[in-house]
Amino acid sequence: MSDFPDIGFQPALLTIAPLPRTKVGTHFKRMVPGGMVSYFALEEIPHTTVDRRIAALLVTLSKRTGKKRVSVDSVEEFLREYMGQDARGGVRGNIGSVSKAIRRMATTAVAIEEGVSHDGLRAMAGRGIFTLASGYQILWAGGRFKNAIVQPGLLDSLTYFEWSVEAHKWLVESAVPFDLRVGMSIRGELANDLYHMINRRNYAMHQQGKTEHHIEWKGLYAQYGQNGGILNESQMKSFRRTFKAALDEVPGQGFVVDEKGLHLVKTPLIVDPEAKTTGYL
């Protein structure tokens, strides 16, 4: 267990290739530097803020324990400790929304393609197609009643999510630390994505010995736009407004928007990567 309870770990791949922000059905692709990541789902691709929070928590718990299987002994403790919420059952309760988020993660598959060149020809080459989970089981009782015949939390400990070998490699092994309390407090989907991207870029700058990094608007749209493709002037203006509004929700410093895109400046890390007790190594 980490000696730093407020330190979480970002799902690496989902930080580089963000999930969609609205319902898109069962297929979604995201252009990333040097390639493309496609998501496929049994029913629905993860897209909400809750989905993003659950992904980060599943990575965090796996990173802390060093195990692919993440077990939850108590849904009440899980929601209270990591999401700051009391467990609520029923149609509008958070038990149901979190259960759905775990199931969406467990039933999503990923295809990774990278650009390659050979004798002057450029093409895309597959680097992996895998499911995020090798198995899962959700036995959280949606009803939490004091006088229930069966104790509501009786089967909580049987609930688990187990990362597949490939997903563990792409999401967990290369995860970087972030402030868990701050990350869990961000409400907007795009703001959530930008917070994690800025944090990951900051770690990259430290590792690469750089002091600043710049991302142009076309690159930002490819990575954070909803549909990809080439934008006309009106569409780009709309995206810039959306981007800037989301960035206003992101806490911290070391980033500013200019005419060319997003400018990042190296800032102190929230935790020393060399501290093994964080689970980072």
Side-chain angles (χ1 to χ4, degrees):
M1 178 62 70
S2 170
D3 291 344
F4 299 81
D6 290 339
I7 297 299
F9 292 88
Q10 301 173 320
L13 179 63
L14 303 188
T15 302
I16 298 169
L19 296 166
R21 301 191 298 277
T22 60
K23 289 185 178 182
V24 294
T26 59
H27 179 218
F28 180 77
K29 63 182 179 180
R30 179 74 78 183
M31 300 302 297
V32 298
M36 181 172 65
V37 174
S38 297
Y39 295 108
F40 304 89
L42 183 63
E43 294 181 359
E44 188 173 74
I45 292 173
H47 60 278
T48 68
T49 295
V50 173
D51 293 330
R52 286 163 164 78
R53 290 174 177 174
I54 290 301
L57 288 175
L58 291 174
V59 168
T60 295
L61 295 174
S62 179
K63 192 79 170 176
R64 287 180 178 181
T65 63
K67 299 178 180 179
K68 295 182 180 67
R69 176 174 289 207
V70 176
S71 298
V72 179
D73 292 333
S74 166
V75 63
E76 278 94 348
E77 292 181 8
F78 179 82
L79 291 172
R80 189 180 302 115
E81 179 176 358
Y82 297 110
M83 304 186 77
Q85 303 173 2
D86 291 327
R88 302 187 308 276
V91 177
R92 298 180 181 275
N94 53 9
I95 294 177
S97 64
V98 170
S99 297
K100 289 178 181 177
I102 294 176
R103 186 172 186 275
R104 279 195 286 263
M105 286 290 296
T107 56
T108 294
V110 181
I112 299 175
E113 297 177 282
E114 294 180 353
V116 296
S117 60
H118 182 70
D119 292 337
L121 299 177
R122 294 192 58 80
M124 299 292 283
R127 289 292 179 260
I129 300 176
F130 53 88
T131 57
L132 293 182
S134 62
Y136 76 101
Q137 182 168 265
I138 304 172
L139 294 176
W140 289 343
R144 300 274 148 167
F145 306 109
K146 293 182 179 179
N147 299 321
I149 297 176
V150 177
Q151 183 180 351
L154 184 63
L155 301 178
D156 283 2
S157 62
L158 299 180
T159 292
Y160 74 89
F161 176 101
E162 185 164 351
W163 294 103
S164 67
V165 173
E166 296 86 354
H168 191 269
K169 171 187 174 183
W170 285 95
L171 278 80
V172 182
E173 291 180 8
S174 55
V176 301
F178 75 101
D179 188 318
L180 190 61
R181 303 305 172 188
V182 171
M184 291 296 109
S185 69
I186 299 175
R187 296 191 176 189
E189 288 85 4
L190 181 55
N192 191 291
D193 293 339
L194 295 180
Y195 167 74
H196 286 298
M197 179 271 286
I198 291 169
N199 180 68
R200 188 170 184 83
R201 289 283 188 180
N202 190 42
Y203 271 89
M205 283 189 282
H206 277 268
Q207 293 169 346
Q208 297 165 5
K210 297 181 178 180
T211 58
E212 57 185 1
H213 182 77
H214 197 276
I215 310 174
E216 296 183 357
W217 280 113
K218 62 180 181 180
L220 291 169
Y221 183 76
Q223 198 166 4
Y224 298 99
Q226 281 291 83
N227 302 309
I230 300 175
L231 301 183
N232 59 38
E233 185 175 351
S234 176
Q235 291 171 319
M236 180 55 81
K237 286 183 178 180
S238 177
F239 172 71
R240 289 184 182 184
R241 287 195 298 269
T242 300
F243 187 92
K244 291 177 182 178
L247 201 62
D248 287 340
E249 298 180 50
V250 178
Q253 54 187 345
F255 53 89
V256 64
V257 172
D258 56 31
E259 288 299 315
K260 295 182 178 180
L262 180 65
H263 188 73
L264 305 176
V265 177
K266 184 173 71 174
T267 59
L269 299 177
I270 63 171
V271 64
D272 182 358
E274 299 301 322
K276 294 184 179 180
T277 49
T278 65
Y280 183 60
L281 297 178

